[in-house]
Amino acid sequence: MLNKDLQDKEYILFRDFLEQQCGIVLGENKQYLVKSRLAPLMQRFGVASLSELVTKTLSPFERQLRSAVIDAMTTNETLWFRDTYPYELLKKQIFPEMEKTCRNVKIWSAASSSGQEPYSIAMTALEYQQSRPGSFSLGVSILGTDISNTMLEHCQRAEYDGLALSRGLSPERRSKFFEDSGKGMMRVKEPVRKNVSFRHLNLLDSYTLLGKFDIIFCRNVLIYFSADVKAKIIRQFAQSLNSRGYLFLGASESLSSLNNDFEMIRCNPGIIYRKKS
């Protein structure tokens, strides 16, 4: 029988490891979360106890296991057009403003998980272009990044089951932007996929090679980091944005006391941040 017990000392060591590797702060009493996320890996990697799994994870030689553990601990539930208002702001306020720029508009979905956010952005851009023929003649490019290679592979397949499609996606958009790919799965159609690319990125690393963006989405991610790591990430976001570029955070997230490179814009509903000139 598999032993899913985890001693306090082992939990502390694992918590420190996770923060060092990807910046996530678990807190004092999240053993239950570690157990629920890592227990499915025990049989896969042939270990009889969660304690053994954690001990092996701490070894720098267990690269495959480490990767699987980070995947398990950083993969979060997501949905299509989450909170609605960011996508309405794109269509009603930000896209009309950026339509005047004679260049490709670049958008970054940081921590894109299973792909719903970047594909939702791409659908929003297509809807805007269809409502205003000739707009964005040089295109809108969306980049999704994530620390999980498993999630990135899922994103690139662009296939979703009925349960995933039921979360935030209207029947109209499902019919318009998806096609049957067999075995109960639906795939994002090519006109959406062609505007979205994916690559691996740890938010603790440098963003220099990604280039500059007009809009960055990093929603419901910063809540998992310490104040110092949040400040570092926001500073790097500012460096990655073009002048007057926009940053979208989650509804419960704020830049308060973290950074002075942005001005807060109150919308109805929601809040967005604009990089100062």
Side-chain angles (χ1 to χ4, degrees):
M1 179 179 291
L2 299 177
N3 183 348
K4 298 179 183 179
D5 291 335
L6 191 64
Q7 300 300 315
D8 288 345
K9 182 178 180 181
E10 294 164 339
Y11 171 72
I12 291 170
L13 289 172
F14 179 76
R15 185 184 67 188
D16 293 345
F17 160 81
L18 194 65
E19 183 173 0
Q20 181 184 33
Q21 292 296 311
C22 49
I24 291 179
V25 178
L26 284 179
E28 296 295 329
N29 299 299
K30 293 292 181 72
Q31 285 94 329
Y32 70 92
L33 179 62
V34 175
K35 291 178 183 179
S36 65
R37 293 289 185 92
L38 299 190
L41 299 179
M42 293 166 61
Q43 188 169 6
R44 174 180 163 187
F45 285 92
V47 295
S49 69
L50 195 60
S51 174
E52 182 184 355
L53 186 89
V54 166
T55 300
K56 283 190 169 186
T57 299
L58 299 178
S59 167
F61 304 106
E62 295 284 349
R63 293 184 180 179
Q64 186 177 1
L65 175 59
R66 278 189 166 206
S67 178
V69 165
I70 290 173
D71 273 3
M73 295 303 302
T74 58
T75 299
N76 296 298
E77 290 292 321
T78 187
L79 61 157
W80 305 95
F81 297 91
R82 185 170 185 171
D83 297 328
T84 305
Y85 77 84
Y87 306 95
E88 291 302 311
L89 285 174
L90 286 178
K91 285 198 284 190
K92 295 178 180 178
Q93 180 174 332
I94 298 177
F95 282 165
E97 176 185 320
M98 292 188 172
E99 187 180 338
K100 302 168 187 175
T101 63
C102 298
R103 56 181 170 76
N104 174 267
V105 173
K106 294 182 64 180
I107 304 174
W108 176 17
S109 169
S112 57
S113 188
S114 47
Q116 281 88 333
E117 182 176 88
Y119 285 129
S120 293
I121 297 169
M123 292 175 203
T124 302
L126 278 178
E127 289 173 344
Y128 181 81
Q129 289 174 289
Q130 290 163 359
S131 70
R132 295 177 62 86
S135 61
F136 296 130
S137 59
L138 296 181
V140 178
S141 301
I142 298 99
L143 173 68
T145 65
D146 203 89
I147 194 173
S148 168
N149 288 321
T150 301
M151 284 295 100
L152 291 171
E153 290 171 5
H154 182 91
C155 291
Q156 288 163 341
R157 287 197 301 272
E159 290 185 324
Y160 300 89
D161 61 20
L163 179 60
L165 292 172
S166 71
R167 305 188 65 205
L169 190 69
S170 68
E172 293 78 15
R173 280 173 167 152
R174 175 172 174 161
S175 175
K176 183 177 182 179
F177 294 119
F178 289 80
E179 59 193 4
D180 190 342
S181 61
K183 298 183 179 179
M185 304 292 284
M186 299 287 286
R187 192 181 191 201
V188 179
K189 288 183 177 179
E190 195 271 341
V192 179
R193 297 198 316 271
K194 73 177 184 180
N195 295 325
V196 187
S197 60
F198 296 94
R199 65 184 294 177
H200 179 272
L201 181 77
N202 185 334
L203 286 176
L204 298 186
D205 296 337
S206 170
Y207 312 158
T208 304
L209 295 179
L210 299 182
K212 292 281 190 175
F213 296 90
D214 299 292
I215 305 167
I216 296 176
F217 276 68
C218 186
R219 309 192 68 240
N220 308 294
V221 177
L222 295 182
I223 53 175
Y224 298 105
F225 299 128
S226 68
D228 288 345
V229 172
K230 287 179 187 177
K232 176 179 181 289
I233 290 172
I234 295 300
R235 186 167 59 252
Q236 293 190 171
F237 281 159
Q239 294 167 352
S240 299
L241 276 170
N242 289 317
S243 177
R244 310 291 284 175
Y246 289 95
L247 172 64
F248 281 89
L249 299 181
S252 63
E253 297 171 318
S254 169
L255 292 188
S256 177
S257 76
L258 290 175
N259 188 279
N260 295 316
D261 294 321
F262 293 88
E263 57 181 326
M264 183 175 68
I265 301 175
R266 295 187 180 275
C267 305
N268 187 22
I271 291 173
I272 53 176
Y273 296 89
R274 183 165 58 196
K275 182 181 176 180
K276 297 176 183 176
S277 296

